[in-house]
Amino acid sequence: MSDWLSQIQWNEQGLIPVIAQDVNTNQVLMLAWMNQLSLSMTIDKGEAIYWSRSRHRLWHKGEESGHFQKVKEIRLDCDGDTLLIIVEQVGGVACHTGRAHCFYKKWQNQSWVEVDAVIKTPASIYHKGFE
C-alpha cells in the first residue's frame, strides 16, 4: 500500500466517509464513501468517484445525471478517518432528488421538514427511471 494510503484509517469494509463541499458556496453537498481504488481514481481523473454501498460498485458521480463533481481540493481530517473534498458541482445539483445538496430536511417543530426546493425533477435527470 502506498504511504499516503496507509495514513488513512479505513473502516472494517475498507471504506472512508467523504464529505463533498461546494467550492463556491461552501455548502456541504453530500456524504459518500470511498475505497482505495475510488480515491486513487478520483485523484487521477480529477472528478469524484465514490464506492456505492447499495450497488456494491464504483460510482462516478454524474455518470447518469451529468452532474459531475470536479475536485478542487482533498483534505484528510486530524484522525485520518474522514475525507473532505472541495468540488465544483456541475449543473448545480448534487442530490439524486434534484436538489442542490442532500441536506434539505431540517428538524423543525418535532419533525423533519423539507426546506430546499427541487431544482430538476429526478425524472428529467435519470433517463433510466428514478432509483
Side-chain angles (χ1 to χ4, degrees):
M1 181 182 325
S2 298
D3 182 50
W4 65 273
L5 284 172
S6 68
Q7 295 177 40
I8 295 173
Q9 301 300 311
W10 305 96
N11 72 11
E12 309 80 43
Q13 292 82 39
L15 302 173
I16 187 168
V18 182
I19 300 164
Q21 181 179 29
D22 189 281
V23 68
N24 297 310
T25 66
N26 292 325
Q27 172 74 54
V28 173
L29 300 174
M30 56 183 278
L31 175 105
W33 297 85
M34 286 186 178
N35 61 16
Q36 290 181 18
L37 179 58
S38 63
L39 177 56
S40 295
M41 291 174 69
T42 294
I43 290 169
D44 290 344
K45 187 163 185 64
E47 293 182 353
I49 299 172
Y50 300 108
W51 176 257
S52 172
R53 294 180 304 159
S54 60
R55 299 178 200 145
H56 305 286
R57 68 170 180 85
L58 292 173
W59 162 44
H60 184 182
K61 177 70 174 154
E63 64 190 15
E64 292 180 28
S65 66
H67 299 139
F68 297 97
Q69 291 178 338
K70 296 183 179 184
V71 177
K72 302 300 180 181
E73 188 174 328
I74 301 175
R75 292 182 178 232
L76 180 63
D77 80 333
C78 59
D79 295 323
D81 63 1
T82 304
L83 291 174
L84 170 67
I85 62 170
I86 314 246
V87 300
E88 174 190 336
Q89 180 62 59
V90 175
V93 174
C95 184
H96 74 279
T97 65
R99 292 175 173 85
H101 57 87
C102 295
F103 298 96
Y104 61 90
K105 294 180 183 179
K106 179 179 178 181
W107 181 251
Q108 188 173 303
N109 299 323
Q110 302 299 308
S111 66
W112 294 109
V113 178
E114 294 182 4
V115 295
D116 293 307
V118 171
I119 296 170
K120 292 182 180 177
T121 64
S124 71
I125 297 171
Y126 302 101
H127 305 293
K128 295 180 183 177
F130 183 69
E131 296 179 345

